Amino acid sequence: MSANHPNNVEKDKLIQELGYDDHFHEHHHGDKYQTNFLTTYIFSQDHKIIARQFLITGIFWAIIGAAMSIIFRLQLGFPDADMAWLRPILGHWITINDAGIGRLDPEFYYALVTMHGTIIVFFVLTAGLSGTFSNLLIPLQIGARDMASPFLNMLSYWFFFMSSVVMFYSLFISTGPFSGGWTAYPPLSALPQASIGSGAGMTLWTVSLVLFVVSVLLGGMNYITTILNLRTKGMSMWRMPLTIWAFLVTAILGLLSFPVLASGFFLLLFDRSLGTSFYLSDIFINGQALDRIGGSPILYQHIFWFLGHPEVYIIILPAMGIVSEVLSVHARKPIFGYRAMVYSILAIAFLSFIVWAHHMFMSGVNPFISNFFVVFTLIIAVPSAVKVFNWISTLYGGNIRLNTPMLFCIGFVSMFISGGLTGIFLGNSAIDIQQHDTYFVVAHFHIVMGVAAFFGMFAGVYNWFPKMFGRFMNETLGKIHFWISMIGAYAVFGPMHYIGMAGVPRRYYRFDSFDAFKDFDDLNKFITIAAIVTFFGQILFVVNFFWSMYRGRKMTEQNPYGSNSLEWTTPIDAGHGNWPEKIPTVQRWAYDYGKDDKEFIQQHVPLQEGEEPSSH
Amino acid sequence: MIDKNLGPSRYQALRFGLWIAMASITMMFAALTSAYLVRKPAGNWYEFKLPFQFFISTILIFLSSLVIEWAFQSFKKGNENSYKFGILASFLLGISFLGSQILAWKSLTAQGITIDLTVSGSFLYALSGIHAAHVLGGIAALMVSLLTAFLIKFEVSPMRILKFDLVRQYWHFVDILWIYLLIFLILQ
């Protein structure tokens, strides 16, 4: 196209107006943003800074969410223990009985369980994981200066921050945070008078989650738009690293499912505030019949799980993408079955939308309709198994570096297999009738989407820490952290399968008053002790993280791992815009490891004469 | 849609982003209307006629859509007066739409169909109310366009075309969304 072509003239005008490099020219026009402290570190529009903000906020919430789980595990493992020592922290939620023994308030026990689920699912494993790595890696790995809309990207974080503030505030109100379970089923969530946590706590919970949905939607819009529109020259869809595929599909899932949750919340708010009966019918409180007719809590369950099940994959897909990338880099081998990996991501995403009712086998769903959901639930095992097979095949015969990121990737694969297998049990409605709402379910989802996703997140943090902070995390502490986490997670959730099989129900305040469950007192103690040890293992990570940020070994080379993807072509201390000169043009896929006797060939290296592009 | 001649750019990406946002909003209304369909056969469903104000609203928002399209084409041709008149008219029609919706709700209340009387009524209030909230967003965007039209020197630049185009597309979207909701409610 000639310089005077109308399109070029239009582009030049745009560049003048927009003030930043718009991929039209081969040079960077500079940053249109002022750089004072506030715009650099607080209201930054640089995707790399926003990634750090998401990560540090996620770590903050992870500590709180994990600490909550330790408190309620203490209650379950040692129900007669004196909890008075927690009074300075929990205040009136620790009641002192006549014997001077401190007891955890049962209402607050439920609040802790509810908040633990909400915080970990939404704030840590959605915002902390997807928010961090989508922001960090999308522009860097596709070759873009920043997101399509840096401003909306910044708003995405601050909506998350506001959501966090509201949720945090709800922990301190006199009636306590919401206590009706993270799924917020009506009537506990729809009637302010239903329980102590259903009042202001639930109102704040809902407001917080609505703000969170806005954050997810703003972020997701940006991720999809950036990936589909701002890839550098030569970066075709089939040359993108698997991380980017995973983030793209995750964002699509979020954009299609979170609005459904929002609609459910709107109706819930109407029920709470305007006296409608979308979800309420024939309710009695203290013997008094309420003036509500015609609603159905099952309707809420359908709407909630239409988000809730894709949410599982919103959590696990980014971890899968990270693991695919890190495994390949540190096994020094191309990822096995690249296209199969992409198709399996797409298949999992599609199927995740048509299995939501497997969470409702015990809600009175027609058993014949259940069969449909059983079949599709079990079919999800196929693309999942393809991925597991490909990860193991990537490792097979690889020149494996057993560093911390790699250990966490292997741990992820292990957890995903263990947790996935128990999913096959629960996916069968006939078995689920026995297992529903037992510790078997708790163990299953904690391993497959909790621990596995955390492992993927840890792999990502250890691997890309130098990209974020220009320093390395301590390797020895990292390995100790891995082994405590790996052994600890199995020690916590392994026995839970057993007690779940025996019928021990979840969401009980204490088990020692039931003859049927007395046999499991010792196992509950064991689980609690294992959980405490695992928790302190995570403190190691936090210490390592913040210490390394300032004192870690400095990064001295641009590409320390010998990785092919574009993020390692930027300077060590990349400014806003990522590449000081022109953005590299992509010549090949991201997984040319061990090709033509070269250990690795970066994506921007042109094909040599006679070299065939790698088939994948 | 995407003008392929411009290649990958933020300029194109913003338009694409709007389409994604609209897809997201569509999912929300798909969920609400699905909930309606699931709930209706379960019984305890009170039947009543839609207030005529909803039909007036439809005419108003449809006209507003036509006028904003005319304003957009005028802007691209550099016809300043038509552009200004068009954008003002579509803004006023948008406000009138909201006014007409409020009258419709008042009419429902006057018939005794309050928001908390019956689920069928609650759904009607919820669908039209949540849609009105989205129209309000469009009106805010139209307000910005209006201020731009009357306070900033008239100039046909790609960026201004883009910004106006985004407002126009969103406005058409909330129009189509309302027509879908009305047809849905009539059929039900």
Side-chain angles (χ1 to χ4, degrees), chain B residues 84-121:
Chain B
K84 283 182 174 174
F85 174 76
I87 207 162
L88 179 63
S90 57
F91 175 76
L92 293 174
L93 284 165
I95 297 283
S96 310
F97 168 83
L98 283 182
S100 178
Q101 295 295 79
I102 292 165
L103 290 174
W105 296 329
K106 281 192 167 175
S107 158
L108 280 170
T109 313
Q111 291 174 56
I113 302 161
T114 53
I115 192 165
D116 57 352
L117 176 76
T118 165
V119 184
S120 53

Side-chain angles (χ1 to χ4, degrees), chain B residues 40-84:
Chain B
K40 191 183 173 186
N44 231 328
W45 192 263
Y46 185 71
E47 299 279 355
F48 55 88
K49 276 192 172 174
L50 289 175
F52 75 94
Q53 286 90 342
F54 276 156
F55 297 94
I56 293 170
S57 299
T58 311
I59 294 165
L60 289 170
I61 201 165
F62 183 70
L63 278 177
S64 181
S65 231
L66 289 178
V67 171
I68 203 170
E69 186 59 36
W70 172 65
F72 181 68
Q73 298 306 332
S74 303
F75 179 68
K76 285 209 299 190
K77 288 173 190 160
N79 191 337
E80 186 178 357
N81 289 336
S82 303
Y83 152 67
K84 283 182 174 174

Side-chain angles (χ1 to χ4, degrees), chain A residues 268-314:
Chain A
L268 190 63
L269 282 169
F270 283 17
D271 274 8
R272 283 177 65 80
S273 333
L274 301 173
T276 58
S277 303
F278 291 109
Y279 305 134
L280 293 166
S281 187
D282 308 324
I283 304 285
F284 289 79
I285 290 191
N286 297 329
Q288 293 283 309
L290 293 190
D291 184 24
R292 303 291 181 100
I293 49 162
S296 163
I298 306 291
L299 181 63
Y300 174 85
Q301 288 191 13
H302 278 295
I303 291 173
F304 178 85
W305 286 114
F306 193 85
L307 158 94
H309 196 78
E311 171 64 17
V312 172
Y313 293 99
I314 287 167

Side-chain angles (χ1 to χ4, degrees), chain A residues 368-428:
Chain A
F368 294 102
I369 291 176
S370 288
N371 290 340
F372 166 90
F373 289 100
V374 168
V375 168
F376 283 102
T377 299
L378 297 183
I379 286 175
I380 288 194
V382 177
S384 303
V386 166
K387 297 191 87 64
V388 169
F389 177 82
N390 287 357
W391 287 320
I392 293 170
S393 301
T394 303
L395 288 170
Y396 181 75
N399 184 12
I400 296 172
R401 299 173 181 155
L402 273 180
N403 53 17
T404 310
M406 183 56 138
L407 285 173
F408 273 106
C409 285
I410 295 167
F412 170 93
V413 175
S414 163
M415 290 290 164
F416 192 69
I417 293 170
S418 311
L421 288 172
T422 53
I424 296 170
F425 289 65
L426 294 169
N428 282 285

